[in-house]
């Protein structure tokens, strides 16, 4: 509520009203008016700072999370909520054990604790079971933030590298297939790029050249 000063200006006030009985049994009203202008300003500034931080993290396309020392989520951006397929209010205050298989949660917890204990950045590939049951491969980058009061938080940014890993595996399989074709050929076969550099070499051709494939790769005649 608001109260008026003597100069007629209004200010936010906290009013505490107490009813007591007078000597004759009638009620007396005692009111204490406290000016809470500064408190309101502080609350407004805190809200503005929180809104700014929320808007900044939501502008980041990758999932972003912040965990406290008990490994509970305290801040999440929209991308993380979409990634988890849960509303923010369903995630805040919860931990990995509330949403992931125990084996996966154990890994997440252990690596989070390394960040808290060492204050060093941690980057590791992690398997993640999505809400639809599919398995994704993640590359979380986790670091430590320590507040002025000494509280420690884990700040993480997640990259989903599932498709990249699939592409790398497909490339490796094609490379092995090509090498097998070359090795099973009766001819002395090799593959060069348009600049004349060796890309793939039949293993028998290596002996002929007196060099291994790793030495020939990227070289010209």
């Amino acid at each position: 509520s608001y109260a008026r000063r003597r100069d007629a200006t209004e200010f936010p006030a906290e009013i505490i009203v107490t009813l007591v009985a007078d000597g004759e049994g009638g009620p007396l009203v005692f009111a204490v008016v406290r000016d809470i202008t500064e408190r309101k300003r502080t609350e407004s500034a805190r809200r503005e700072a929180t809104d700014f931080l929320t808007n900044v993290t939501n502008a980041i396309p990758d999932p972003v999370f912040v965990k406290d020392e008990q490994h509970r989520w305290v801040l999440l951006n929209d991308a993380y909520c979409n990634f988890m397929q849960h509303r923010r209010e369903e995630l805040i205050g919860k931990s990995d054990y509330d949403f992931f298989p125990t084996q996966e949660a154990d890994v997440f917890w252990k690596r989070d604790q390394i960040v808290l204990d060492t204050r060093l950045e941690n980057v590791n590939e992690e398997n993640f079971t999505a809400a639809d049951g599919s398995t994704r491969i993640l590359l979380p980058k986790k670091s430590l933030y320590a507040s002025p009061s000494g509280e420690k938080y884990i700040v993480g940014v997640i990259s989903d590298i599932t498709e990249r890993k699939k592409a790398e595996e497909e490339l490796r399989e094609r490379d092995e297939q090509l090498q097998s074709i070359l090795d099973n050929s009766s001819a002395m076969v090799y593959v060069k790029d348009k600049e004349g550099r060796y890309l793939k070499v039949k293993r028998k051709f290596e002996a002929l050249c007196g060099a291994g494939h790793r030495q020939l790769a990227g070289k010209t005649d």
Side-chain angles (χ1 to χ4, degrees), residues 179 181-191 200-208 211 213 216:
Q179 187 66 58
I181 292 171
L182 293 179
D183 290 341
N184 290 325
S185 172
S186 60
M188 293 297 183
V189 183
Y190 57 83
V191 178
K200 294 294 295 183
V201 178
K202 182 176 179 178
R203 291 186 174 89
K204 288 183 179 180
F205 187 73
E206 296 173 357
L208 180 66
H213 171 67
L216 288 175

Side-chain angles (χ1 to χ4, degrees), residues 25-202:
L28 293 177
V29 178
F30 288 90
V32 177
V33 179
R34 182 178 295 119
D35 187 341
I36 58 172
T37 302
E38 291 304 317
R39 190 176 80 187
K40 286 292 185 179
R41 285 176 181 168
T42 301
E43 291 173 353
S44 178
R46 186 180 293 115
R47 276 195 306 272
E48 290 178 3
T50 300
D51 290 344
F52 175 76
L53 180 59
T54 299
N55 292 334
V56 168
T57 56
N58 284 338
I60 300 173
D62 292 323
V64 175
F65 66 85
V66 179
K67 295 179 181 176
D68 62 16
E69 294 181 70
Q70 285 71 49
H71 301 238
R72 298 171 303 200
W73 290 301
V74 297
L75 178 66
L76 306 168
N77 71 344
D78 288 344
Y80 192 89
C81 297
N82 294 334
F83 180 70
M84 290 289 292
Q85 298 183 31
H86 284 280
R87 298 192 308 274
R88 184 175 282 100
E89 54 268 26
E90 294 175 323
L91 297 169
I92 294 296
K94 302 293 182 62
S95 76
D96 295 316
Y97 285 102
D98 294 304
F99 294 91
F100 302 114
T102 301
Q103 186 175 0
E104 290 182 11
D106 285 342
V107 173
F108 301 158
W109 189 285
K110 179 180 179 181
R111 290 174 178 167
D112 288 348
Q113 193 61 45
I114 290 174
V115 175
L116 290 171
D117 293 341
T118 66
R119 296 175 174 260
L120 298 177
E121 183 180 86
N122 184 272
V123 181
N124 279 290
E125 289 185 12
E126 297 176 353
N127 290 325
F128 166 87
T129 300
D132 61 4
S134 64
T135 300
R136 312 291 296 177
I137 303 174
L138 308 181
L139 188 65
K141 185 176 183 180
K142 304 173 185 177
S143 57
L144 184 79
Y145 167 72
S147 71
S149 59
E151 297 171 322
K152 293 187 290 186
Y153 296 91
I154 304 158
V155 181
V157 180
I158 296 175
S159 297
D160 187 340
I161 60 172
T162 306
E163 300 309 318
R164 190 186 83 188
K165 297 294 286 188
K166 286 181 180 179
E168 290 175 353
E169 180 62 20
E170 290 173 358
L171 183 62
R172 184 187 64 79
E173 290 177 356
R174 287 198 298 269
D175 187 70
E176 290 178 352
Q177 290 172 357
L178 177 58
Q179 187 66 58
S180 177
I181 292 171
L182 293 179
D183 290 341
N184 290 325
S185 172
S186 60
M188 293 297 183
V189 183
Y190 57 83
V191 178
K192 290 183 177 182
D193 62 16
K194 62 181 180 180
E195 278 79 31
R197 294 172 299 202
Y198 289 104
L199 297 178
K200 294 294 295 183
V201 178
K202 182 176 179 178

